[in-house]
mmCIF file of all heavy atoms in Angstrom:
data_model
loop_
_atom_site.group_PDB
_atom_site.id
_atom_site.type_symbol
_atom_site.label_atom_id
_atom_site.label_comp_id
_atom_site.label_asym_id
_atom_site.label_seq_id
_atom_site.Cartn_x
_atom_site.Cartn_y
_atom_site.Cartn_z
ATOM 1 N N MET H 1 0.829 -1.196 0.000
ATOM 2 C CA MET H 1 0.000 0.000 0.000
ATOM 3 C C MET H 1 0.867 1.251 0.000
ATOM 4 O O MET H 1 0.444 2.284 -0.491
ATOM 5 C CB MET H 1 -0.912 -0.055 1.234
ATOM 6 C CG MET H 1 -1.946 1.007 1.258
ATOM 7 S SD MET H 1 -3.059 0.803 -0.128
ATOM 8 C CE MET H 1 -3.825 2.369 -0.120
ATOM 9 N N ALA H 2 2.049 1.154 0.520
ATOM 10 C CA ALA H 2 2.920 2.325 0.570
ATOM 11 C C ALA H 2 3.283 2.824 -0.830
ATOM 12 O O ALA H 2 3.604 3.990 -1.009
ATOM 13 C CB ALA H 2 4.189 2.013 1.349
ATOM 14 N N GLN H 3 3.224 1.960 -1.827
ATOM 15 C CA GLN H 3 3.531 2.370 -3.193
ATOM 16 C C GLN H 3 2.441 3.241 -3.805
ATOM 17 O O GLN H 3 2.650 3.852 -4.837
ATOM 18 C CB GLN H 3 3.721 1.141 -4.081
ATOM 19 C CG GLN H 3 5.002 0.417 -3.827
ATOM 20 C CD GLN H 3 6.199 1.227 -4.298
ATOM 21 O OE1 GLN H 3 6.136 1.996 -5.236
ATOM 22 N NE2 GLN H 3 7.305 1.045 -3.612
ATOM 23 N N ILE H 4 1.268 3.307 -3.189
ATOM 24 C CA ILE H 4 0.136 3.995 -3.801
ATOM 25 C C ILE H 4 0.103 5.481 -3.445
ATOM 26 O O ILE H 4 -0.539 6.271 -4.110
ATOM 27 C CB ILE H 4 -1.188 3.313 -3.384
ATOM 28 C CG1 ILE H 4 -1.091 1.812 -3.653
ATOM 29 C CG2 ILE H 4 -2.379 3.875 -4.114
ATOM 30 C CD1 ILE H 4 -0.651 1.436 -5.055
ATOM 31 N N THR H 5 0.799 5.892 -2.417
ATOM 32 C CA THR H 5 0.796 7.303 -2.037
ATOM 33 C C THR H 5 1.531 8.122 -3.097
ATOM 34 O O THR H 5 2.304 7.575 -3.883
ATOM 35 C CB THR H 5 1.470 7.493 -0.660
ATOM 36 O OG1 THR H 5 2.798 6.968 -0.730
ATOM 37 C CG2 THR H 5 0.700 6.778 0.428
ATOM 38 N N PRO H 6 1.289 9.432 -3.141
ATOM 39 C CA PRO H 6 1.881 10.253 -4.204
ATOM 40 C C PRO H 6 3.396 10.105 -4.282
ATOM 41 O O PRO H 6 4.024 9.895 -3.263
ATOM 42 C CB PRO H 6 1.513 11.672 -3.808
ATOM 43 C CG PRO H 6 0.301 11.512 -2.982
ATOM 44 C CD PRO H 6 0.440 10.196 -2.278
ATOM 45 N N PRO H 7 4.009 10.194 -5.416
ATOM 46 C CA PRO H 7 3.445 10.396 -6.747
ATOM 47 C C PRO H 7 2.891 9.094 -7.338
ATOM 48 O O PRO H 7 3.632 8.161 -7.601
ATOM 49 C CB PRO H 7 4.610 10.907 -7.567
ATOM 50 C CG PRO H 7 5.814 10.325 -6.895
ATOM 51 C CD PRO H 7 5.466 10.209 -5.433
ATOM 52 N N VAL H 8 1.599 9.056 -7.531
ATOM 53 C CA VAL H 8 0.897 7.833 -7.934
ATOM 54 C C VAL H 8 1.337 7.349 -9.315
ATOM 55 O O VAL H 8 1.612 6.169 -9.502
ATOM 56 C CB VAL H 8 -0.632 8.053 -7.890
ATOM 57 C CG1 VAL H 8 -1.360 6.830 -8.389
ATOM 58 C CG2 VAL H 8 -1.075 8.392 -6.479
ATOM 59 N N GLY H 9 1.394 8.231 -10.283
ATOM 60 C CA GLY H 9 1.715 7.815 -11.647
ATOM 61 C C GLY H 9 3.053 7.115 -11.753
ATOM 62 O O GLY H 9 3.173 6.062 -12.393
ATOM 63 N N PHE H 10 4.062 7.655 -11.123
ATOM 64 C CA PHE H 10 5.391 7.047 -11.166
ATOM 65 C C PHE H 10 5.368 5.657 -10.545
ATOM 66 O O PHE H 10 5.912 4.701 -11.096
ATOM 67 C CB PHE H 10 6.397 7.939 -10.441
ATOM 68 C CG PHE H 10 7.769 7.334 -10.361
ATOM 69 C CD1 PHE H 10 8.583 7.303 -11.484
ATOM 70 C CD2 PHE H 10 8.247 6.788 -9.188
ATOM 71 C CE1 PHE H 10 9.848 6.742 -11.425
ATOM 72 C CE2 PHE H 10 9.496 6.223 -9.123
ATOM 73 C CZ PHE H 10 10.310 6.198 -10.244
ATOM 74 N N ASN H 11 4.712 5.528 -9.403
ATOM 75 C CA ASN H 11 4.674 4.240 -8.713
ATOM 76 C C ASN H 11 3.880 3.200 -9.498
ATOM 77 O O ASN H 11 4.236 2.026 -9.490
ATOM 78 C CB ASN H 11 4.095 4.405 -7.310
ATOM 79 C CG ASN H 11 5.036 5.175 -6.420
ATOM 80 O OD1 ASN H 11 6.243 5.072 -6.556
ATOM 81 N ND2 ASN H 11 4.490 5.951 -5.514
ATOM 82 N N LEU H 12 2.815 3.621 -10.165
ATOM 83 C CA LEU H 12 2.056 2.674 -10.981
ATOM 84 C C LEU H 12 2.904 2.144 -12.139
ATOM 85 O O LEU H 12 2.858 0.954 -12.458
ATOM 86 C CB LEU H 12 0.780 3.319 -11.516
ATOM 87 C CG LEU H 12 -0.314 3.608 -10.486
ATOM 88 C CD1 LEU H 12 -1.490 4.302 -11.155
ATOM 89 C CD2 LEU H 12 -0.750 2.353 -9.781
ATOM 90 N N ILE H 13 3.699 3.012 -12.746
ATOM 91 C CA ILE H 13 4.559 2.579 -13.846
ATOM 92 C C ILE H 13 5.657 1.645 -13.333
ATOM 93 O O ILE H 13 5.977 0.638 -13.970
ATOM 94 C CB ILE H 13 5.145 3.792 -14.587
ATOM 95 C CG1 ILE H 13 4.020 4.509 -15.341
ATOM 96 C CG2 ILE H 13 6.255 3.373 -15.547
ATOM 97 C CD1 ILE H 13 4.405 5.825 -15.944
ATOM 98 N N VAL H 14 6.221 1.932 -12.175
ATOM 99 C CA VAL H 14 7.228 1.048 -11.589
ATOM 100 C C VAL H 14 6.630 -0.322 -11.308
ATOM 101 O O VAL H 14 7.219 -1.361 -11.633
ATOM 102 C CB VAL H 14 7.823 1.665 -10.303
ATOM 103 C CG1 VAL H 14 8.662 0.654 -9.549
ATOM 104 C CG2 VAL H 14 8.650 2.893 -10.637
ATOM 105 N N LEU H 15 5.436 -0.351 -10.715
ATOM 106 C CA LEU H 15 4.779 -1.627 -10.445
ATOM 107 C C LEU H 15 4.458 -2.374 -11.731
ATOM 108 O O LEU H 15 4.582 -3.596 -11.800
ATOM 109 C CB LEU H 15 3.501 -1.406 -9.639
ATOM 110 C CG LEU H 15 3.709 -1.005 -8.182
ATOM 111 C CD1 LEU H 15 2.384 -0.614 -7.557
ATOM 112 C CD2 LEU H 15 4.346 -2.140 -7.415
ATOM 113 N N GLN H 16 4.067 -1.643 -12.769
ATOM 114 C CA GLN H 16 3.756 -2.264 -14.054
ATOM 115 C C GLN H 16 4.998 -2.913 -14.641
ATOM 116 O O GLN H 16 4.948 -4.038 -15.131
ATOM 117 C CB GLN H 16 3.179 -1.215 -15.004
ATOM 118 C CG GLN H 16 2.668 -1.777 -16.307
ATOM 119 C CD GLN H 16 3.692 -1.754 -17.422
ATOM 120 O OE1 GLN H 16 4.589 -0.935 -17.445
ATOM 121 N NE2 GLN H 16 3.565 -2.666 -18.345
ATOM 122 N N ARG H 17 6.118 -2.261 -14.560
ATOM 123 C CA ARG H 17 7.351 -2.828 -15.121
ATOM 124 C C ARG H 17 7.871 -3.984 -14.281
ATOM 125 O O ARG H 17 8.437 -4.932 -14.815
ATOM 126 C CB ARG H 17 8.406 -1.746 -15.246
ATOM 127 C CG ARG H 17 7.997 -0.733 -16.288
ATOM 128 C CD ARG H 17 9.152 -0.057 -16.915
ATOM 129 N NE ARG H 17 8.653 0.841 -17.946
ATOM 130 C CZ ARG H 17 9.317 1.888 -18.367
ATOM 131 N NH1 ARG H 17 10.495 2.159 -17.871
ATOM 132 N NH2 ARG H 17 8.808 2.645 -19.300
ATOM 133 N N MET H 18 7.665 -3.930 -12.971
ATOM 134 C CA MET H 18 8.115 -5.019 -12.107
ATOM 135 C C MET H 18 7.283 -6.288 -12.325
ATOM 136 O O MET H 18 7.820 -7.396 -12.288
ATOM 137 C CB MET H 18 8.026 -4.608 -10.636
ATOM 138 C CG MET H 18 9.085 -3.622 -10.207
ATOM 139 S SD MET H 18 8.861 -3.036 -8.526
ATOM 140 C CE MET H 18 8.900 -4.537 -7.584
ATOM 141 N N THR H 19 5.988 -6.124 -12.529
ATOM 142 C CA THR H 19 5.104 -7.283 -12.654
ATOM 143 C C THR H 19 4.906 -7.736 -14.093
ATOM 144 O O THR H 19 4.537 -8.883 -14.322
ATOM 145 C CB THR H 19 3.725 -6.976 -12.054
ATOM 146 O OG1 THR H 19 3.122 -5.899 -12.760
ATOM 147 C CG2 THR H 19 3.824 -6.640 -10.576
ATOM 148 N N GLY H 20 5.082 -6.827 -15.045
ATOM 149 C CA GLY H 20 4.846 -7.163 -16.445
ATOM 150 C C GLY H 20 3.367 -7.148 -16.825
ATOM 151 O O GLY H 20 3.010 -7.550 -17.920
ATOM 152 N N ARG H 21 2.520 -6.702 -15.923
ATOM 153 C CA ARG H 21 1.070 -6.617 -16.199
ATOM 154 C C ARG H 21 0.757 -5.294 -16.883
ATOM 155 O O ARG H 21 1.554 -4.372 -16.893
ATOM 156 C CB ARG H 21 0.274 -6.691 -14.890
ATOM 157 C CG ARG H 21 0.479 -7.930 -14.100
ATOM 158 C CD ARG H 21 -0.388 -9.030 -14.632
ATOM 159 N NE ARG H 21 -0.301 -10.197 -13.777
ATOM 160 C CZ ARG H 21 -1.274 -11.023 -13.582
ATOM 161 N NH1 ARG H 21 -2.432 -10.837 -14.171
ATOM 162 N NH2 ARG H 21 -1.113 -12.078 -12.823
ATOM 163 N N GLU H 22 -0.463 -5.212 -17.429
ATOM 164 C CA GLU H 22 -0.914 -3.957 -18.045
ATOM 165 C C GLU H 22 -1.185 -2.917 -16.965
ATOM 166 O O GLU H 22 -1.553 -3.249 -15.847
ATOM 167 C CB GLU H 22 -2.178 -4.198 -18.848
ATOM 168 C CG GLU H 22 -1.972 -5.086 -20.056
ATOM 169 C CD GLU H 22 -3.257 -5.259 -20.837
ATOM 170 O OE1 GLU H 22 -4.208 -4.485 -20.617
ATOM 171 O OE2 GLU H 22 -3.291 -6.179 -21.659
ATOM 172 N N LEU H 23 -1.038 -1.659 -17.336
ATOM 173 C CA LEU H 23 -1.246 -0.571 -16.390
ATOM 174 C C LEU H 23 -2.694 -0.520 -15.903
ATOM 175 O O LEU H 23 -2.951 -0.205 -14.746
ATOM 176 C CB LEU H 23 -0.844 0.761 -17.025
ATOM 177 C CG LEU H 23 -0.645 1.940 -16.086
ATOM 178 C CD1 LEU H 23 0.391 1.612 -15.016
ATOM 179 C CD2 LEU H 23 -0.215 3.158 -16.858
ATOM 180 N N SER H 24 -3.635 -0.869 -16.772
ATOM 181 C CA SER H 24 -5.044 -0.878 -16.351
ATOM 182 C C SER H 24 -5.287 -1.929 -15.273
ATOM 183 O O SER H 24 -6.068 -1.709 -14.346
ATOM 184 C CB SER H 24 -5.957 -1.128 -17.552
ATOM 185 O OG SER H 24 -5.686 -2.384 -18.132
ATOM 186 N N TRP H 25 -4.613 -3.076 -15.357
ATOM 187 C CA TRP H 25 -4.744 -4.121 -14.327
ATOM 188 C C TRP H 25 -4.188 -3.627 -12.999
ATOM 189 O O TRP H 25 -4.793 -3.831 -11.950
ATOM 190 C CB TRP H 25 -4.008 -5.384 -14.780
ATOM 191 C CG TRP H 25 -4.194 -6.537 -13.844
ATOM 192 C CD1 TRP H 25 -5.220 -7.421 -13.846
ATOM 193 C CD2 TRP H 25 -3.344 -6.908 -12.761
ATOM 194 N NE1 TRP H 25 -5.053 -8.325 -12.833
ATOM 195 C CE2 TRP H 25 -3.906 -8.040 -12.145
ATOM 196 C CE3 TRP H 25 -2.159 -6.394 -12.251
ATOM 197 C CZ2 TRP H 25 -3.317 -8.662 -11.055
ATOM 198 C CZ3 TRP H 25 -1.575 -7.014 -11.158
ATOM 199 C CH2 TRP H 25 -2.159 -8.136 -10.576
ATOM 200 N N ILE H 26 -3.033 -2.960 -13.044
ATOM 201 C CA ILE H 26 -2.413 -2.411 -11.835
ATOM 202 C C ILE H 26 -3.355 -1.395 -11.188
ATOM 203 O O ILE H 26 -3.538 -1.395 -9.965
ATOM 204 C CB ILE H 26 -1.055 -1.748 -12.159
ATOM 205 C CG1 ILE H 26 -0.081 -2.759 -12.743
ATOM 206 C CG2 ILE H 26 -0.465 -1.071 -10.941
ATOM 207 C CD1 ILE H 26 0.439 -3.792 -11.797
ATOM 208 N N ALA H 27 -3.986 -0.545 -11.989
ATOM 209 C CA ALA H 27 -4.899 0.469 -11.449
ATOM 210 C C ALA H 27 -6.121 -0.183 -10.807
ATOM 211 O O ALA H 27 -6.567 0.246 -9.738
ATOM 212 C CB ALA H 27 -5.324 1.427 -12.550
ATOM 213 N N LYS H 28 -6.666 -1.235 -11.422
ATOM 214 C CA LYS H 28 -7.825 -1.926 -10.844
ATOM 215 C C LYS H 28 -7.472 -2.565 -9.508
ATOM 216 O O LYS H 28 -8.238 -2.476 -8.542
ATOM 217 C CB LYS H 28 -8.334 -2.998 -11.800
ATOM 218 C CG LYS H 28 -9.012 -2.455 -13.018
ATOM 219 C CD LYS H 28 -9.388 -3.576 -13.964
ATOM 220 C CE LYS H 28 -9.834 -3.032 -15.305
ATOM 221 N NZ LYS H 28 -10.094 -4.093 -16.276
ATOM 222 N N VAL H 29 -6.321 -3.205 -9.441
ATOM 223 C CA VAL H 29 -5.897 -3.842 -8.197
ATOM 224 C C VAL H 29 -5.657 -2.793 -7.110
ATOM 225 O O VAL H 29 -5.978 -3.006 -5.937
ATOM 226 C CB VAL H 29 -4.640 -4.708 -8.444
ATOM 227 C CG1 VAL H 29 -4.054 -5.225 -7.154
ATOM 228 C CG2 VAL H 29 -4.974 -5.849 -9.374
ATOM 229 N N THR H 30 -5.130 -1.650 -7.504
ATOM 230 C CA THR H 30 -4.913 -0.558 -6.556
ATOM 231 C C THR H 30 -6.236 -0.082 -5.972
ATOM 232 O O THR H 30 -6.348 0.125 -4.755
ATOM 233 C CB THR H 30 -4.200 0.616 -7.258
ATOM 234 O OG1 THR H 30 -2.962 0.147 -7.778
ATOM 235 C CG2 THR H 30 -3.964 1.765 -6.312
ATOM 236 N N LEU H 31 -7.240 0.062 -6.815
ATOM 237 C CA LEU H 31 -8.553 0.481 -6.326
ATOM 238 C C LEU H 31 -9.160 -0.570 -5.395
ATOM 239 O O LEU H 31 -9.779 -0.226 -4.382
ATOM 240 C CB LEU H 31 -9.487 0.762 -7.494
ATOM 241 C CG LEU H 31 -9.165 2.011 -8.302
ATOM 242 C CD1 LEU H 31 -10.076 2.107 -9.508
ATOM 243 C CD2 LEU H 31 -9.276 3.245 -7.439
ATOM 244 N N LEU H 32 -8.973 -1.839 -5.717
ATOM 245 C CA LEU H 32 -9.471 -2.895 -4.840
ATOM 246 C C LEU H 32 -8.780 -2.874 -3.480
ATOM 247 O O LEU H 32 -9.412 -3.080 -2.445
ATOM 248 C CB LEU H 32 -9.282 -4.262 -5.503
ATOM 249 C CG LEU H 32 -10.223 -4.586 -6.644
ATOM 250 C CD1 LEU H 32 -9.822 -5.899 -7.295
ATOM 251 C CD2 LEU H 32 -11.652 -4.654 -6.150
ATOM 252 N N MET H 33 -7.457 -2.623 -3.484
ATOM 253 C CA MET H 33 -6.728 -2.519 -2.212
ATOM 254 C C MET H 33 -7.240 -1.362 -1.371
ATOM 255 O O MET H 33 -7.429 -1.491 -0.159
ATOM 256 C CB MET H 33 -5.236 -2.319 -2.483
ATOM 257 C CG MET H 33 -4.419 -3.508 -2.152
ATOM 258 S SD MET H 33 -2.638 -3.213 -2.090
ATOM 259 C CE MET H 33 -2.307 -2.006 -3.320
ATOM 260 N N CYS H 34 -7.471 -0.229 -1.998
ATOM 261 C CA CYS H 34 -7.989 0.941 -1.287
ATOM 262 C C CYS H 34 -9.383 0.670 -0.738
ATOM 263 O O CYS H 34 -9.705 1.064 0.387
ATOM 264 C CB CYS H 34 -7.993 2.165 -2.194
ATOM 265 S SG CYS H 34 -6.344 2.763 -2.578
ATOM 266 N N ALA H 35 -10.220 -0.023 -1.510
ATOM 267 C CA ALA H 35 -11.565 -0.370 -1.046
ATOM 268 C C ALA H 35 -11.494 -1.326 0.141
ATOM 269 O O ALA H 35 -12.263 -1.190 1.109
ATOM 270 C CB ALA H 35 -12.368 -0.994 -2.185
ATOM 271 N N ALA H 36 -10.575 -2.283 0.100
ATOM 272 C CA ALA H 36 -10.427 -3.220 1.216
ATOM 273 C C ALA H 36 -9.971 -2.494 2.483
ATOM 274 O O ALA H 36 -10.472 -2.777 3.584
ATOM 275 C CB ALA H 36 -9.436 -4.317 0.849
ATOM 276 N N ILE H 37 -9.071 -1.557 2.347
ATOM 277 C CA ILE H 37 -8.609 -0.792 3.510
ATOM 278 C C ILE H 37 -9.744 0.063 4.068
ATOM 279 O O ILE H 37 -9.923 0.154 5.282
ATOM 280 C CB ILE H 37 -7.381 0.058 3.142
ATOM 281 C CG1 ILE H 37 -6.192 -0.866 2.938
ATOM 282 C CG2 ILE H 37 -7.079 1.097 4.213
ATOM 283 C CD1 ILE H 37 -4.965 -0.188 2.413
ATOM 284 N N ALA H 38 -10.526 0.675 3.193
ATOM 285 C CA ALA H 38 -11.669 1.477 3.653
ATOM 286 C C ALA H 38 -12.699 0.604 4.365
ATOM 287 O O ALA H 38 -13.275 1.006 5.382
ATOM 288 C CB ALA H 38 -12.311 2.196 2.474
ATOM 289 N N LEU H 39 -12.896 -0.608 3.866
ATOM 290 C CA LEU H 39 -13.837 -1.542 4.485
ATOM 291 C C LEU H 39 -13.375 -1.945 5.890
ATOM 292 O O LEU H 39 -14.162 -1.939 6.836
ATOM 293 C CB LEU H 39 -13.994 -2.778 3.596
ATOM 294 C CG LEU H 39 -15.082 -3.754 3.967
ATOM 295 C CD1 LEU H 39 -16.455 -3.102 3.829
ATOM 296 C CD2 LEU H 39 -14.995 -4.982 3.080
ATOM 297 N N VAL H 40 -12.107 -2.275 6.030
ATOM 298 C CA VAL H 40 -11.578 -2.646 7.349
ATOM 299 C C VAL H 40 -11.569 -1.436 8.286
ATOM 300 O O VAL H 40 -11.807 -1.576 9.479
ATOM 301 C CB VAL H 40 -10.172 -3.270 7.213
ATOM 302 C CG1 VAL H 40 -9.504 -3.454 8.562
ATOM 303 C CG2 VAL H 40 -10.269 -4.596 6.500
ATOM 304 N N TYR H 41 -11.309 -0.256 7.748
ATOM 305 C CA TYR H 41 -11.336 0.949 8.575
ATOM 306 C C TYR H 41 -12.753 1.224 9.079
ATOM 307 O O TYR H 41 -12.955 1.615 10.221
ATOM 308 C CB TYR H 41 -10.815 2.142 7.762
ATOM 309 C CG TYR H 41 -10.817 3.433 8.542
ATOM 310 C CD1 TYR H 41 -9.817 3.699 9.473
ATOM 311 C CD2 TYR H 41 -11.807 4.390 8.356
ATOM 312 C CE1 TYR H 41 -9.812 4.880 10.196
ATOM 313 C CE2 TYR H 41 -11.810 5.568 9.075
ATOM 314 C CZ TYR H 41 -10.808 5.805 9.993
ATOM 315 O OH TYR H 41 -10.808 6.970 10.703
ATOM 316 N N THR H 42 -13.735 1.023 8.211
ATOM 317 C CA THR H 42 -15.135 1.274 8.576
ATOM 318 C C THR H 42 -15.671 0.213 9.530
ATOM 319 O O THR H 42 -16.405 0.521 10.467
ATOM 320 C CB THR H 42 -16.010 1.328 7.313
ATOM 321 O OG1 THR H 42 -15.464 2.304 6.424
ATOM 322 C CG2 THR H 42 -17.438 1.707 7.648
ATOM 323 N N PHE H 43 -15.303 -1.033 9.278
ATOM 324 C CA PHE H 43 -15.768 -2.160 10.092
ATOM 325 C C PHE H 43 -14.557 -2.916 10.643
ATOM 326 O O PHE H 43 -14.163 -3.950 10.095
ATOM 327 C CB PHE H 43 -16.635 -3.106 9.258
ATOM 328 C CG PHE H 43 -17.804 -2.436 8.606
ATOM 329 C CD1 PHE H 43 -17.786 -2.161 7.254
ATOM 330 C CD2 PHE H 43 -18.922 -2.077 9.343
ATOM 331 C CE1 PHE H 43 -18.864 -1.539 6.639
ATOM 332 C CE2 PHE H 43 -20.005 -1.461 8.742
ATOM 333 C CZ PHE H 43 -19.977 -1.185 7.386
ATOM 334 N N PRO H 44 -13.944 -2.432 11.723
ATOM 335 C CA PRO H 44 -12.713 -3.057 12.223
ATOM 336 C C PRO H 44 -12.900 -4.493 12.719
ATOM 337 O O PRO H 44 -11.935 -5.238 12.806
ATOM 338 C CB PRO H 44 -12.271 -2.135 13.359
ATOM 339 C CG PRO H 44 -13.390 -1.224 13.630
ATOM 340 C CD PRO H 44 -14.318 -1.254 12.477
ATOM 341 N N ASP H 45 -14.126 -4.898 13.004
ATOM 342 C CA ASP H 45 -14.354 -6.271 13.443
ATOM 343 C C ASP H 45 -14.028 -7.287 12.353
ATOM 344 O O ASP H 45 -13.784 -8.459 12.644
ATOM 345 C CB ASP H 45 -15.802 -6.463 13.898
ATOM 346 C CG ASP H 45 -16.102 -5.712 15.186
ATOM 347 O OD1 ASP H 45 -15.140 -5.416 15.926
ATOM 348 O OD2 ASP H 45 -17.284 -5.427 15.439
ATOM 349 N N ILE H 46 -13.993 -6.846 11.100
ATOM 350 C CA ILE H 46 -13.627 -7.740 10.003
ATOM 351 C C ILE H 46 -12.208 -8.261 10.212
ATOM 352 O O ILE H 46 -11.938 -9.442 9.999
ATOM 353 C CB ILE H 46 -13.746 -7.011 8.648
ATOM 354 C CG1 ILE H 46 -15.200 -6.708 8.333
ATOM 355 C CG2 ILE H 46 -13.104 -7.827 7.534
ATOM 356 C CD1 ILE H 46 -15.380 -5.854 7.097
ATOM 357 N N ALA H 47 -11.308 -7.395 10.638
ATOM 358 C CA ALA H 47 -9.910 -7.816 10.846
ATOM 359 C C ALA H 47 -9.828 -8.865 11.949
ATOM 360 O O ALA H 47 -9.083 -9.842 11.833
ATOM 361 C CB ALA H 47 -9.049 -6.602 11.197
ATOM 362 N N THR H 48 -10.583 -8.688 13.020
ATOM 363 C CA THR H 48 -10.590 -9.669 14.101
ATOM 364 C C THR H 48 -11.180 -10.984 13.618
ATOM 365 O O THR H 48 -10.643 -12.058 13.911
ATOM 366 C CB THR H 48 -11.415 -9.146 15.294
ATOM 367 O OG1 THR H 48 -10.894 -7.860 15.665
ATOM 368 C CG2 THR H 48 -11.346 -10.080 16.469
ATOM 369 N N TRP H 49 -12.260 -10.917 12.871
ATOM 370 C CA TRP H 49 -12.898 -12.124 12.359
ATOM 371 C C TRP H 49 -11.958 -12.884 11.425
ATOM 372 O O TRP H 49 -11.833 -14.099 11.514
ATOM 373 C CB TRP H 49 -14.196 -11.766 11.641
ATOM 374 C CG TRP H 49 -14.937 -12.959 11.155
ATOM 375 C CD1 TRP H 49 -15.783 -13.744 11.876
ATOM 376 C CD2 TRP H 49 -14.882 -13.521 9.845
ATOM 377 N NE1 TRP H 49 -16.259 -14.752 11.090
ATOM 378 C CE2 TRP H 49 -15.723 -14.642 9.832
ATOM 379 C CE3 TRP H 49 -14.206 -13.179 8.681
ATOM 380 C CZ2 TRP H 49 -15.894 -15.433 8.699
ATOM 381 C CZ3 TRP H 49 -14.382 -13.964 7.565
ATOM 382 C CH2 TRP H 49 -15.228 -15.067 7.584
ATOM 383 N N LEU H 50 -11.294 -12.150 10.545
ATOM 384 C CA LEU H 50 -10.351 -12.784 9.631
ATOM 385 C C LEU H 50 -9.190 -13.434 10.377
ATOM 386 O O LEU H 50 -8.730 -14.512 10.018
ATOM 387 C CB LEU H 50 -9.816 -11.788 8.604
ATOM 388 C CG LEU H 50 -10.782 -11.382 7.504
ATOM 389 C CD1 LEU H 50 -10.167 -10.246 6.694
ATOM 390 C CD2 LEU H 50 -11.099 -12.557 6.614
ATOM 391 N N GLY H 51 -8.725 -12.771 11.426
ATOM 392 C CA GLY H 51 -7.632 -13.315 12.217
ATOM 393 C C GLY H 51 -7.989 -14.617 12.900
ATOM 394 O O GLY H 51 -7.165 -15.511 13.055
ATOM 395 N N CYS H 52 -9.238 -14.766 13.305
ATOM 396 C CA CYS H 52 -9.682 -15.986 13.994
ATOM 397 C C CYS H 52 -10.064 -17.099 13.035
ATOM 398 O O CYS H 52 -9.918 -18.269 13.369
ATOM 399 C CB CYS H 52 -10.883 -15.658 14.886
ATOM 400 S SG CYS H 52 -10.492 -14.586 16.258
ATOM 401 N N HIS H 53 -10.578 -16.770 11.863
ATOM 402 C CA HIS H 53 -11.139 -17.783 10.983
ATOM 403 C C HIS H 53 -10.248 -18.166 9.800
ATOM 404 O O HIS H 53 -10.610 -19.053 9.040
ATOM 405 C CB HIS H 53 -12.494 -17.304 10.437
ATOM 406 C CG HIS H 53 -13.551 -17.284 11.491
ATOM 407 N ND1 HIS H 53 -13.732 -16.203 12.312
ATOM 408 C CD2 HIS H 53 -14.439 -18.222 11.871
ATOM 409 C CE1 HIS H 53 -14.726 -16.465 13.143
ATOM 410 N NE2 HIS H 53 -15.177 -17.685 12.897
ATOM 411 N N CYS H 54 -9.128 -17.539 9.647
ATOM 412 C CA CYS H 54 -8.285 -17.840 8.480
ATOM 413 C C CYS H 54 -7.011 -18.578 8.863
ATOM 414 O O CYS H 54 -5.963 -18.380 8.273
ATOM 415 C CB CYS H 54 -7.951 -16.543 7.734
ATOM 416 S SG CYS H 54 -9.368 -15.859 6.907
ATOM 417 N N ARG H 55 -7.077 -19.390 9.844
ATOM 418 C CA ARG H 55 -5.883 -20.156 10.262
ATOM 419 C C ARG H 55 -5.916 -21.519 9.700
ATOM 420 O O ARG H 55 -6.776 -22.150 9.395
ATOM 421 C CB ARG H 55 -5.799 -20.231 11.773
ATOM 422 C CG ARG H 55 -5.497 -18.889 12.354
ATOM 423 C CD ARG H 55 -5.364 -18.990 13.825
ATOM 424 N NE ARG H 55 -5.200 -17.636 14.346
ATOM 425 C CZ ARG H 55 -4.683 -17.391 15.492
ATOM 426 N NH1 ARG H 55 -4.299 -18.355 16.263
ATOM 427 N NH2 ARG H 55 -4.558 -16.166 15.911
#
């Protein structure tokens, strides 16, 4: 997640070259990561539930 903070464009291109994926795929995954963080921030019990049930 630290790669997503500004400057966003440069970091997206670096990630694209490291992974070999298309830039549009990198952007979609970035949005999904941000949505997951917002979800856990809004509902912190999800993190506790995941910690107990994903072993």
Side-chain angles (χ1 to χ4, degrees):
M1 188 63 196
Q3 287 290 330
I4 309 308
T5 57
V8 176
F10 176 75
N11 291 327
L12 290 178
I13 291 171
V14 169
L15 288 171
Q16 187 267 333
R17 293 207 177 156
M18 287 174 58
T19 61
R21 300 278 186 148
E22 294 182 15
L23 196 56
S24 61
W25 185 86
I26 299 290
K28 289 176 191 175
V29 172
T30 301
L31 289 174
L32 286 174
M33 251 193 326
C34 290
I37 289 173
L39 189 65
V40 171
Y41 180 78
T42 305
F43 304 105
D45 291 338
I46 292 173
T48 306
W49 183 83
L50 286 172
C52 293
H53 290 86
C54 290
R55 291 182 185 201

